[in-house]
Amino acid sequence: MRILHTSDWHLGRSFHRVSLVEAQATYLDHLVATVHAHEVDVVLVAGDVYDRAVPPLSAVELFDDALHRLAAAGVPTVMISGNHDSARRLGVGAGLIERAGIHLRTDPAHCATPVVLRDAHGDVAFYGLPYLEPALVKDVFKADRAGHEAVLTAAMARVRADLASRPDTTRSVVLAHAFVAGGEPSDSERDITVGGVAAVPAGVFDGVDYAALGHLHGCQTVTERVRYSGSPLAYSFSEAAHRKTMWLIDLDASGAIAAERVDCPVPRPLARLRGRLDTLVDDPALERHRDAWVEATLTDPVRPVEPMARLVERFPHTLSLVFEPERAPDDPLASYAQRLQGRDDQQIAEDFVAHVRAGASADEQERTVLRGAFDHVRVDDALREVNR
């Protein structure tokens, strides 16, 4: 069976206030063309179909058009909701849409009810695990605690139990939206940390032939059978070095896989430039970035006059301007952003506690209280998204 593994479409998202509607439409054209050109048997979308719970009409229209074309091609599609989607909204009409071969899996309680497709060698069971917000699904799975590993482990136990009830020749594929240890994140993914832990071990997916993951935006191989397709477009400058692709997976009669990357269209290359303003606007070696979307980090000791105007004259598609003056790390004038770079909310809060106590760090009990507060706010945000 030939599988096209995609994820993280984020329909409706912009890039530094630049609309990506046309680029996303081009990608979906490319996806449908790939289905035909490579004789794909099933398309997988591992979550984050939309960029937010209530997407703009243009995003919904793109989604609707893509589903119509896939259904017209007679190619089944299996998709799950991600942490950016409203599972309830995305799942509306799922039963009716399923008649057209579009299988939406948005209810965690049904994660062990697979979509079963057949090829010349027998059945392939596709299990859809939508994004599992631990605090919201802990009771559904009777997990011992509200953590990512606990709820995913419980969900996979149900999957394995169902798989064990099927003929031994049944091959299996799991779609999941999660941060799996060994994956490389970027700046454009929403934080899903719970209790100070975001990642789960890849071993959670042991026992299935292929795990099609979503959430991380870089295409990557965690293990031979556990892979991220990544997002089809770059959604932050941290993805400048990404090669945006989809996975073409061939699943043979024994459950062995062969994987090939299929490149996605690039609407405009990204460039992250760093240096003094005069160097950036005068260096002939940078001419190759003239048509790129540019993030410029200026290192001038003193902020230059009208830097954006000068940059745009050289690089018309400059979208982001960052100031990081050349100073020693312990310089009291070092920017606040520089001091916080690479630190998460928990670390920043603990640093604040140490600062106001003249160096006395938070103890373990206080760190637990801070962690609980951050988890509460994040879960509250998730609930607001669900109920919108």
Side-chain angles (χ1 to χ4, degrees):
M1 185 170 288
R2 177 159 286 181
I3 300 164
L4 187 63
H5 168 196
T6 78
S7 74
D8 295 273
W9 293 359
H10 286 278
L11 300 179
R13 188 161 184 158
S14 60
F15 187 80
H16 289 266
R17 299 177 301 281
V18 174
S19 173
L20 292 176
V21 169
E22 289 187 11
Q24 290 176 333
T26 298
Y27 162 69
L28 293 174
D29 290 342
H30 172 69
L31 182 148
V32 174
T34 299
V35 166
H36 289 290
H38 291 273
E39 299 181 333
V40 168
D41 296 307
V42 56
V43 174
L44 308 183
V45 188
D48 282 354
V49 175
Y50 292 120
D51 189 56
R52 55 183 184 268
V54 184
L57 180 59
S58 58
V60 178
E61 290 173 339
L62 284 179
F63 180 63
D64 180 65
D65 180 64
L67 296 192
H68 273 84
R69 285 191 286 169
L70 289 169
V75 177
T77 300
V78 184
M79 57 178 60
I80 60 174
S81 49
N83 62 302
H84 278 250
D85 298 309
S86 166
R88 290 170 62 185
R89 287 177 182 272
L90 186 63
V92 169
L96 184 61
I97 294 172
E98 191 152 7
R99 298 181 186 179
I102 307 297
H103 307 275
L104 290 167
R105 291 295 184 264
T106 62
D107 186 347
H110 297 155
C111 68
T113 303
V115 176
V116 180
L117 303 176
R118 292 185 62 83
D119 64 8
H121 307 293
D123 289 347
V124 181
F126 292 84
Y127 296 90
L129 276 59
Y131 172 66
L132 304 176
E133 174 57 56
L136 303 183
V137 302
K138 175 179 178 290
D139 293 338
V140 173
F141 294 113
K142 298 180 173 58
D144 56 359
R145 62 188 184 281
H148 288 295
E149 183 175 354
V151 296
L152 265 175
T153 297
M156 283 301 300
R158 293 190 179 188
V159 167
R160 293 188 187 93
D162 179 83
L163 189 58
S165 71
R166 297 180 180 275
D168 293 342
T169 55
T170 303
R171 290 154 291 160
S172 55
V173 175
V174 166
L175 291 78
H177 196 85
F179 186 175
V180 175
E184 183 65 33
S186 60
D187 292 344
S188 54
E189 298 121 7
R190 184 179 293 168
D191 181 30
I192 59 171
T193 301
V194 175
V197 178
V200 300
V204 165
F205 300 104
D206 286 351
V208 297
D209 294 309
Y210 185 65
L213 301 182
H215 180 58
L216 300 186
H217 288 182
C219 181
Q220 49 202 297
T221 301
V222 179
T223 72
E224 187 63 20
R225 295 185 181 274
V226 180
R227 298 169 186 258
Y228 283 98
S229 66
S231 60
L233 299 170
Y235 292 121
S236 74
F237 278 104
S238 67
E239 301 170 50
H242 287 188
R243 175 188 165 198
K244 295 299 184 181
T245 61
M246 304 176 286
W247 281 115
L248 195 63
I249 303 293
D250 284 321
L251 186 67
D252 74 9
S254 68
I257 67 168
E260 175 188 347
R261 293 176 72 176
V262 178
D263 288 292
C264 297
V266 179
R268 193 177 295 279
L270 306 186
R272 305 185 89 176
L273 308 182
R274 182 184 183 88
R276 298 195 177 197
L277 180 59
D278 287 344
T279 300
L280 297 186
V281 298
D282 294 334
D283 186 351
L286 299 179
E287 182 62 24
R288 68 185 187 278
H289 300 304
R290 182 170 183 81
D291 293 326
W293 277 324
V294 169
E295 176 188 71
T297 299
L298 300 185
T299 60
D300 302 70
V302 177
R303 186 175 298 230
V305 176
E306 296 186 342
M308 185 58 106
R310 292 183 63 192
L311 284 166
V312 168
E313 186 176 351
R314 175 75 192 278
F315 307 106
H317 305 285
T318 301
L319 299 181
S320 176
L321 181 58
V322 181
F323 292 99
E324 291 187 6
E326 295 168 343
R327 293 193 177 104
D330 58 351
D331 190 322
L333 295 178
S335 74
Y336 184 67
Q338 285 175 288
R339 296 199 301 275
L340 299 185
Q341 190 172 16
R343 306 183 71 75
D344 60 28
D345 291 342
Q346 177 82 16
Q347 292 169 319
I348 293 168
E350 291 179 17
D351 286 349
F352 175 75
V353 171
H355 172 72
V356 297
R357 288 179 175 171
S361 301
D363 60 28
E364 184 57 36
Q365 183 177 0
E366 290 168 330
R367 287 195 292 271
T368 300
V369 170
L370 288 171
R371 189 176 298 117
F374 285 122
D375 286 349
H376 176 80
V377 170
R378 191 186 51 76
V379 170
D380 185 62
D381 286 344
L383 281 169
R384 290 174 186 272
E385 289 279 307
V386 168
N387 293 323
R388 287 183 68 183

